[in-house]
Amino acid sequence: MDTCFPNSLFTPGSIAVFGASDRPGSVGQVVFQNLLDAGYRGPLYPVNPKHAKVQGRRAYCSIKDIKGPVELAVIATPPATVPGIIEHCGNHGVKTAVIITAGFGETGEQGAELERKVLETARCHNIRLLGPNCLGIMRPSIGLNATFYNGHAIDGSIAFVSQSGALCTALLDWSQNTGVGFSSVVSVGSSADVDFGEILDYLAGDPRTQSILMYIEGIRDARRFLNALRAAASIKPVILIKVGRHPAGSRAALSHTASLVGADDIFDAAISRAGGVRVQTTTQLFNSAMALSCGIRPTGKRLAIVTNGGGPGVIGADRATDLGLEMAKLSDDTIGYLNLHLPLNWSHNNPLDLIGNAHPDLYRHAVQACLNDENVDGVLAILTPQAMTRPLESAQILVELSNTCSKPVLGCWMGEMQVMEARREFLGTHKPHFDTPESAVEVFSFLAACYQNQKLLAQLTCSVPQQDKPDVGSARRIIEHALKDQRNILTETESKALLSAFHIPVAKTMIARSPDEALLIAQKAGFPVAMKINSPDITHKSDVGGVLLNLRNEQDVRSAYRKLIDNARHHRPDARMDGVAVEPMVSRPNGRELMIGVTSDPVFGPVITFGAGGTTVEIIGDRAITLPPLDLPMARNLIGKTRVSRMLGAFRNLPAVNMTALESTLLRVSEMICELPALREMDINPLILDEHGAWAVDARVVVESSPRATGHYTHMTIPPYPASLVTHSRFACRTSFTIRPGRPEDYGLIQNFMDRLANEPGLNPWMSNRRDIAGSMLTCLVHSDYSTSMSLVALETSADEETAIGLASFSACADGNSCEFTIMTEYPEQHTELVCELMISLAQAARSVGLSMIAGTIPKSLSGMAELLPPLGFLITRETADSLKISKQL
């Protein structure tokens, strides 16, 4: 694995600027001048064959003339020169390059060909590329300003990652007046190589970064992006904006689900699943940056509003309700205190209306009382300039109170001229302030959502309650038969057989190819029956008059058969006919009609939808979306997002439905997606649910002729938890232990384990060269994607308490075939058994995701392992005087 990146991008020890110039206004001139002015302290080399000196520094004709190492190349030369420069950089040992130059894939086929050549050259030399067509990168704390922005960023704790260089410059310019500071500003440009995922991986573990903002136009590697976002969002607020919400054009949908779901819906579902918070406007993004820079960290969503005007207070309360916030219910003690200190005609409720002439002391009493109330998570104070108000003094009181309490305090001084001095007070003391109540409430909701996401990410796992094992083999054979027959749409019989293989209850269906055969089936099933046209070419049967219900006798069945065939031939003369499907009518008077669907997104892969069912699903549009795999809390959360969920409890004469049956069905559909890579779209509509259970009345399934998967679960953006890798063993002393893949809720266990190792470094030779795992990088371990990376934790259980006694992980190398491992235990000389078990489990885990080689180093002092591992197929060689290299072909 290349360990130089991303350090060589964010903290380069030396920089060469290709195209550095003295020509005023040129990109090369601005970039080199910015590096000089920002105070970059490492070696800085201007490369320009036309000049002996550039901006007072010796210039070099080529990187070959530079004697020392170069960690970062910044390229601002014409596009045609870039492949050659990358070749020279590779020969010189450069590992990272920022290509500011435009004129590549964004310009057409000729530019795309040039971009491919640049990438091929870079990969030959193991060089990572940021860009092309990007603004560059800033790291204010080390004086790194490798951009052509006309200025510098304030040093701070926010990282901004953007596909738009223009938005970077706008945010940077705005930040100069608001005092917002940045740990990093990264313009990824075309993202031809380095994408959001790798940048987020670094920022998640970066101690200088406390929060992350992003501007996104598109995602290249969805799996890596979501895994990195999940890791980052679990410890830091991540707020993003994505454009392109309304794509021009449409696609043909073979199922109801696909016609209901758009790409932007799926992006929202993916971001929500990974813990990020999406905003819709640049104003919201900029306001969030201002609040984050002030250190605002809500710990809940209960908001109190203090105002001297009823109208602004109600506006704020309405917006809070829109966004799912709670208007805090003030305690009796708080109400009593306020009654003593506020005018008799105050509102006696939240929002707290202090009346128009509220003086500063009233703000002090009201805000302080709310901050002291355990039912309040944050306070928004609103002031409108009126004859008796004193905006500056009230602002000073708000600043004073915010300094004495950890709860968020937001100010909204409305107007302009009369509140200008008060706004300067907020700005000078670095306190969050807003022009309108809506803006303040929106930011509070975004940051409260970040906190809620962190709690959810820390406790959720993709493990699924134990259920009967599905007949995956039979299901796959059904799909293979259809594909062999050159069909992408399964018949209703095949679709229901697929559901049955995963233990989803279905209405039994038989195919009749004549009126007489239909009658025999109806008599055997029992009247009344339903009949539907059976054609591989007709997806939506109701649209062609292909469904008849409640057929109660012989005459009904015979005439229904002829009518269904005639209707289908009239509407679809080109369709192949294969008789009529006959099934008993599902009589469930207390049933609710629901729909569960599956569709596929070209970026994020399979998606699950749930909502109201029936023939009017597109008109009603009541559905929620999520990415699989699901666990029980996720299934319940998906159900709760819909309007139809309110109809599942008891109401009027209807009993409550069997929620366990619905949850089980959703988990089964998730299981189908995991185990059937060829599944492209599916509708279970209607799914009848009542107090007794769930029943799939109708189903249609679309499969792919060329499955997306190239390995186990590679068709999924979020792979399921690999429960098959859990092992149980015993030490020679008969103490038992478990080795299993890490989960988000393991963070505390692993953190305690790492703390013990760090406190006794002399007892553990692993710690001498593995300190980089400590701290926030633990997040990446517990949020591994179970594909390109995985952590294994060894646990000892005693008195119902688990203790981590070992940790191992692997991460795939750039070649996609091999991986590098890390392994740690307490007292490894005494725990050679555990080390060996971890190595065996690591090798098995790496093999399960298609890797063919695992390698890593251990301290030479662990000589006992050199004897134990070779019989297990591991090769041990000397790496350095102090370490041994362990490797194994898988």
Side-chain angles (χ1 to χ4, degrees):
M1 178 184 295
D2 176 15
T3 56
C4 295
F5 182 84
N7 289 329
S8 54
L9 177 66
F10 285 91
T11 57
S14 53
I15 302 174
V17 180
F18 293 82
S21 171
D22 285 315
R23 181 163 56 88
S26 66
V27 173
Q29 184 268 330
V30 175
V31 170
F32 198 72
Q33 185 68 54
N34 279 344
L35 284 165
L36 292 173
D37 291 347
Y40 176 72
R41 291 180 288 276
L44 187 58
Y45 306 105
V47 181
N48 190 325
K50 297 180 181 180
H51 300 280
K53 284 190 174 184
V54 169
Q55 299 187 35
R57 296 285 187 103
R58 176 195 167 184
Y60 297 83
C61 292
S62 167
I63 194 172
K64 292 183 288 187
D65 299 326
I66 299 174
K67 302 303 180 185
V70 174
E71 292 191 16
L72 177 65
V74 181
I75 303 172
T77 61
T81 66
V82 175
I85 290 174
I86 295 295
E87 178 72 32
H88 292 156
C89 286
N91 294 333
H92 196 78
V94 176
K95 291 303 179 187
T96 305
V98 176
I99 304 177
I100 292 176
T101 307
F104 291 92
E106 77 277 7
T107 62
E109 184 51 42
Q110 186 174 353
E113 178 59 35
L114 188 61
E115 186 174 297
R116 284 191 289 270
K117 188 174 181 180
V118 170
L119 284 171
E120 288 172 6
T121 306
R123 285 168 184 156
C124 285
H125 293 283
N126 198 25
I127 298 176
R128 304 307 310 277
L129 304 177
L130 182 69
N133 189 20
C134 70
L135 180 72
I137 182 170
M138 288 185 178
R139 188 78 168 168
S141 62
I142 63 168
L144 174 62
N145 182 0
T147 73
F148 59 94
Y149 170 65
N150 186 26
H152 301 282
I154 300 170
D155 189 15
S157 62
I158 299 175
F160 182 47
V161 188
S162 173
Q163 279 179 310
S164 168
L167 198 63
C168 287
T169 61
L171 184 62
L172 286 166
D173 189 54
W174 167 85
S175 70
Q176 298 299 311
N177 187 50
T178 57
V180 173
F182 297 90
S183 65
S184 303
V185 178
V186 185
S187 167
V188 297
S190 301
S191 304
D193 178 26
V194 175
D195 201 0
F196 286 106
E198 289 174 286
I199 300 298
L200 281 172
D201 277 340
Y202 179 86
L203 295 174
D206 176 28
R208 299 197 68 86
T209 298
Q210 300 303 313
S211 52
I212 302 169
L213 302 178
M214 291 192 291
Y215 167 87
I216 298 175
E217 294 174 357
I219 301 296
R220 289 178 181 260
D221 187 339
R223 175 178 281 198
R224 178 149 199 172
F225 168 70
L226 288 186
N227 188 63
L229 177 58
R230 193 164 66 245
S234 67
I235 52 175
K236 302 175 182 182
V238 181
I239 296 178
L240 59 90
I241 183 171
K242 181 188 177 294
V243 295
R245 293 184 295 115
H246 305 293
S250 61
R251 60 187 177 93
L254 296 175
S255 70
H256 286 296
T257 300
S259 64
L260 280 170
V261 178
D264 200 59
D265 296 324
I266 295 171
F267 184 87
D268 269 346
I271 295 304
S272 176
R273 176 68 186 272
V277 174
R278 184 180 182 184
V279 300
Q280 299 296 332
T281 68
T282 52
T283 299
Q284 292 171 344
L285 188 72
F286 284 25
N287 283 338
S288 297
M290 184 264 292
L292 288 168
S293 73
C294 296
I296 295 297
R297 298 290 187 274
T299 57
K301 59 180 183 179
R302 299 169 300 178
L303 180 66
I305 297 177
V306 177
T307 176
N308 72 334
V314 174
I315 289 171
D318 281 346
R319 190 63 182 134
T321 303
D322 291 341
L323 296 170
L325 295 174
E326 295 178 18
M327 291 303 293
K329 181 176 174 56
L330 302 178
S331 69
D332 291 341
D333 287 345
T334 300
I335 295 292
Y337 175 88
L338 294 172
N339 284 335
L340 290 175
H341 294 88
L342 299 186
L344 292 176
N345 57 345
W346 79 280
S347 61
H348 295 84
N349 207 339
N350 182 19
L352 289 74
D353 185 359
L354 310 181
I355 71 172
N357 63 349
H359 54 77
D361 277 345
L362 293 183
Y363 274 97
R364 181 189 297 278
H365 289 301
V367 174
Q368 184 68 73
C370 290
L371 292 174
N372 292 340
D373 194 324
E374 292 184 355
N375 296 333
V376 175
D377 296 316
V379 178
L380 167 60
I382 303 172
L383 181 143
T384 59
Q386 300 182 33
M388 286 71 72
T389 55
R390 302 201 292 273
L392 176 59
E393 293 177 51
S394 297
Q396 290 169 337
I397 284 175
L398 202 65
V399 169
E400 177 189 331
L401 293 174
S402 69
N403 288 333
T404 62
C405 183
S406 60
K407 293 181 181 179
V409 180
L410 294 81
C412 173
W413 266 222
M414 300 179 70
E416 191 61 36
M417 296 304 296
Q418 295 185 47
V419 297
M420 191 173 295
E421 197 174 4
R423 287 181 180 167
R424 291 197 191 102
E425 174 69 16
F426 289 130
L427 187 63
T429 55
H430 210 52
K431 299 299 178 183
H433 59 288
F434 305 88
D435 296 343
T436 66
E438 298 95 328
S439 295
V441 170
E442 286 166 358
V443 168
F444 183 84
S445 76
F446 300 147
L447 300 187
C450 289
Y451 172 78
Q452 183 66 22
N453 288 345
Q454 289 175 6
K455 291 203 300 183
L456 292 173
L457 288 169
Q459 66 191 33
L460 290 183
T461 176
C462 293
S463 55
V464 174
Q466 203 65 31
Q467 302 185 92
D468 294 335
K469 292 187 67 174
D471 188 352
V472 178
S474 294
R476 288 176 177 167
R477 284 191 291 274
I478 292 169
I479 293 174
E480 289 166 3
H481 173 75
L483 294 175
K484 188 176 180 180
D485 198 30
Q486 298 186 330
R487 290 186 290 113
N488 294 100
I489 303 175
L490 303 188
T491 65
E492 182 172 348
T493 306
E494 290 170 330
S495 297
K496 289 183 175 178
L498 206 68
L499 297 182
S500 294
F502 283 81
H503 306 291
I504 297 174
V506 298
K508 187 176 180 180
T509 301
M510 297 185 70
I511 304 302
R513 293 178 175 83
S514 70
D516 289 339
E517 195 173 354
L519 178 58
L520 288 173
I521 294 172
Q523 289 172 334
K524 185 176 181 180
F527 291 104
V529 296
M531 296 174 63
K532 308 170 187 176
I533 195 68
N534 189 46
S535 167
D537 301 320
I538 299 175
T539 303
H540 303 302
K541 302 176 183 67
S542 298
D543 294 348
V544 299
V547 179
L548 292 173
L549 306 176
N550 284 309
L551 306 170
R552 298 184 173 277
N553 54 48
E554 174 183 346
Q555 182 179 350
D556 286 349
V557 170
R558 288 182 179 279
S559 62
Y561 186 95
R562 288 187 289 269
K563 185 174 182 180
L564 289 170
I565 295 293
D566 290 344
N567 286 348
R569 284 177 175 161
H570 173 72
H571 288 94
R572 289 289 307 277
D574 58 323
R576 293 170 289 173
M577 302 295 168
D578 187 21
V580 168
V582 183
E583 62 188 47
M585 282 294 299
V586 177
S587 178
R588 295 201 167 187
N590 297 330
R592 282 73 145 178
E593 286 194 345
L594 307 173
M595 184 190 81
I596 297 176
V598 175
T599 189
S600 295
D601 181 73
V603 176
F604 293 105
V607 177
I608 297 176
T609 67
F610 167 77
T615 57
T616 59
V617 290
E618 282 109 343
I619 297 172
I620 296 174
D622 175 31
R623 81 286 184 278
I625 310 168
T626 192
L627 270 63
L630 300 183
D631 61 11
L632 196 54
M634 293 173 187
R636 289 170 176 166
N637 184 53
L638 180 67
I639 295 167
K641 289 180 179 178
T642 60
R643 297 192 301 274
V644 75
S645 64
R646 298 194 288 270
M647 297 174 57
L648 303 182
F651 71 98
R652 294 188 179 176
N653 330 352
L654 295 179
V657 302
N658 185 334
M659 290 298 293
T660 301
L662 176 57
E663 292 158 0
S664 176
T665 304
L666 283 167
L667 294 177
R668 287 299 191 184
V669 169
S670 172
E671 199 173 20
M672 291 178 72
I673 294 171
C674 294
E675 302 302 331
L676 304 176
L679 181 63
R680 180 184 166 193
E681 294 179 9
M682 180 171 73
D683 288 341
I684 303 176
N685 181 30
L687 177 79
I688 303 295
L689 182 70
D690 65 8
E691 68 273 24
H692 302 296
W695 192 268
V697 176
D698 200 359
R700 59 176 63 88
V701 176
V702 181
V703 294
E704 286 186 322
S705 56
S706 299
R708 293 152 288 171
T710 57
H712 206 36
Y713 303 132
T714 56
H715 63 295
M716 301 180 67
T717 305
I718 304 174
Y721 182 77
S724 61
L725 296 176
V726 178
T727 61
H728 304 280
S729 302
R730 286 183 180 275
F731 293 122
C733 63
R734 306 186 67 81
T735 303
S736 62
F737 62 94
T738 298
I739 296 175
R740 62 166 171 75
R743 301 188 299 228
E745 61 265 37
D746 293 332
Y747 187 95
L749 283 172
I750 297 176
Q751 187 175 47
N752 290 337
F753 169 74
M754 295 299 300
D755 287 344
R756 294 199 305 274
L757 265 59
N759 291 333
E760 299 289 346
L763 298 177
N764 198 296
W766 302 118
M767 292 305 294
S768 62
N769 61 349
R770 296 311 307 170
R771 286 184 175 274
D772 57 304
I773 295 181
S776 57
M777 287 307 293
L778 288 176
T779 304
C780 297
L781 291 174
V782 298
H783 286 281
S784 57
D785 65 4
Y786 305 128
S787 174
T788 59
S789 65
M790 193 182 305
S791 63
L792 299 177
V793 58
L795 298 167
E796 193 174 56
T797 304
S798 60
D800 298 326
E801 183 178 353
E802 287 186 327
T803 303
I805 57 174
L807 177 67
S809 67
F810 74 78
S811 184
C813 299
D815 59 16
N817 298 314
S818 61
C819 63
E820 185 178 276
F821 76 82
T822 297
I823 185 168
M824 284 174 287
T825 68
E826 289 187 276
Y827 307 100
E829 298 92 337
Q830 301 170 32
H831 283 180
T832 51
E833 293 174 81
L834 176 59
V835 172
C836 289
E837 290 291 339
L838 280 169
M839 288 300 302
I840 293 170
S841 295
L842 264 184
Q844 179 186 355
R847 187 187 303 113
S848 73
V849 298
L851 298 172
S852 58
M853 163 73 81
I854 185 169
T857 60
I858 64 169
K860 187 183 176 184
S861 58
L862 301 179
S863 56
M865 290 183 60
E867 299 174 3
L868 294 172
L869 290 175
L872 301 175
F874 290 91
L875 177 66
I876 298 182
T877 56
R878 183 184 295 273
E879 178 84 349
T880 68
D882 300 318
S883 66
L884 299 174
K885 181 178 180 180
I886 300 178
S887 61
K888 183 178 182 178
Q889 293 285 344
L890 304 176

